[in-house]
Amino acid sequence: MIRFILVCITVVGFLILSIPILLVEWIIGKFAPYAKDISSLRIIQAVFRFILFLTGVKVTVIGEENVPKDTPVLYIGNHRSYFDILLTYSRCPIRTGYVAKKEMEKFPLLSNWMRYLHCLFLDRQDIKQGLKTILEAIEKIKSGISICIFPEGTRNRNENDEDMLPFHEGSFKIATRANCPIIPIALNNTAQIWEAHSPKVKPCHVILEYGEPIYPEQLNKEDKKKLGAYTQNIIRQMIIKNKKDV
């Protein structure tokens, strides 16, 4: 329980103490937008790494060499825990925005930081607004900003990591229309950090694997048509392969 309390204190404390930092970042952004983007990215990555340190989690990373360091990508991952965001975002090499549920927009300070980091808010109940978010994500990638989305649409509460919810195919239009590679992300055992025994945060071993880039234009017609299922199968195979090691 102590770890949970420490994580909460860190999150709340940072959000409150970061108010003047938000102001400074806003001023920097008026004169040097790219510099603001990078400084915001590094600040949040440092905070996320500290929170992960507090949890006591041991992270094994596989395939990080598959992530391009000089071009934007669409990250696609399975989603079991709120800590999936911390685990993956703390390792992004370039500017990256996450697609989050619209409800997150209601939280002050947190939503400010999310906007600074180019995150997008998806209304899952409004098809028209959902399409608008997809178009915004395409423009982000075209401007050099990677996008990460968990296409199950919500946290998967099934017992086994490999038992994923269906991937929403619409998410993959971001890659096909922006003409960018897809980086599949397989996350093993992340629910054991907190969700499996909430409210306690417990140390555990998680595996984060980046698969080889998928280039939609190089796939055959059938795989390209069902890009979500194709990507999900790759992620599932990585999860099964790594299951014995957690």
Side-chain angles (χ1 to χ4, degrees):
M1 196 66 178
I2 293 177
R3 292 181 187 273
F4 174 74
I5 294 171
L6 289 174
V7 168
C8 291
I9 290 173
T10 299
V11 172
V12 175
F14 169 75
L15 290 175
I16 294 173
L17 294 175
S18 71
I19 293 175
I21 301 176
L22 282 168
L23 179 59
V24 171
E25 291 289 275
W26 178 80
I27 294 171
I28 293 174
K30 289 296 182 180
F31 300 96
Y34 181 78
K36 186 271 291 182
D37 286 350
I38 296 300
S39 61
S40 293
L41 170 66
R42 301 310 178 205
I43 289 168
I44 296 303
Q45 286 182 324
V47 173
F48 281 1
R49 285 193 291 267
F50 180 69
I51 293 173
L52 291 171
F53 168 77
L54 292 177
T55 68
V57 65
K58 176 186 175 183
V59 185
T60 296
V61 181
I62 303 172
E64 198 161 19
E65 67 277 4
N66 290 322
V67 181
K69 306 299 190 293
D70 56 357
T71 187
V73 302
L74 175 66
Y75 294 102
I76 294 288
N78 61 307
H79 193 23
R80 298 274 286 161
S81 170
Y82 287 116
F83 285 92
D84 295 340
I85 293 92
L86 282 71
L87 287 160
T88 54
Y89 197 74
S90 60
R91 311 194 74 85
C92 292
I94 65 174
R95 296 175 297 166
T96 304
Y98 277 49
V99 177
K101 58 185 179 181
K102 189 171 180 61
E103 290 79 358
M104 298 297 293
E105 201 170 14
K106 299 176 182 178
F107 296 97
L109 300 180
L110 176 60
S111 60
N112 291 91
W113 275 110
M114 292 176 73
R115 290 190 187 93
Y116 275 19
L117 298 169
H118 298 282
C119 291
L120 302 172
F121 300 95
L122 177 65
D123 188 342
R124 295 173 292 183
Q125 308 303 320
D126 190 324
I127 296 177
K128 185 177 180 180
Q129 289 300 315
L131 178 59
K132 181 180 178 182
T133 302
I134 295 297
L135 293 175
E136 289 175 349
I138 293 168
E139 291 306 311
K140 292 284 187 185
I141 289 180
K142 288 182 177 179
S143 68
I145 300 165
S146 293
I147 292 292
C148 180
I149 190 167
F150 299 108
E152 289 172 278
T154 187
R155 282 183 301 115
N156 177 8
R157 294 172 174 80
N158 291 330
E159 183 176 352
N160 297 315
D161 289 332
E162 67 267 26
D163 186 15
M164 290 177 278
L165 304 174
F167 279 12
H168 294 288
E169 291 286 344
S171 307
F172 294 84
K173 292 180 180 178
I174 299 172
T176 56
R177 295 190 181 182
N179 193 30
C180 74
I182 296 169
I183 301 296
I185 302 175
L187 292 152
N188 279 76
N189 211 39
T190 58
Q192 292 301 319
I193 302 175
W194 183 59
E195 282 80 1
H197 35 70
S198 172
K200 293 182 178 180
V201 170
K202 292 185 177 181
C204 66
H205 178 212
V206 305
I207 297 178
L208 164 61
E209 180 168 4
Y210 297 96
E212 293 183 1
I214 299 169
Y215 297 92
E217 71 278 5
Q218 297 178 5
L219 301 178
N220 62 50
K221 185 176 180 181
E222 189 62 26
D223 288 337
K224 189 174 181 179
K225 183 179 178 181
K226 299 179 180 179
L227 192 50
Y230 177 85
T231 306
Q232 186 177 55
N233 184 57
I234 291 174
I235 292 173
R236 181 179 289 109
Q237 294 307 312
M238 290 192 288
I239 290 172
I240 292 171
K241 172 178 65 73
N242 295 327
K243 188 174 183 178
K244 66 181 184 301
D245 296 322
V246 294

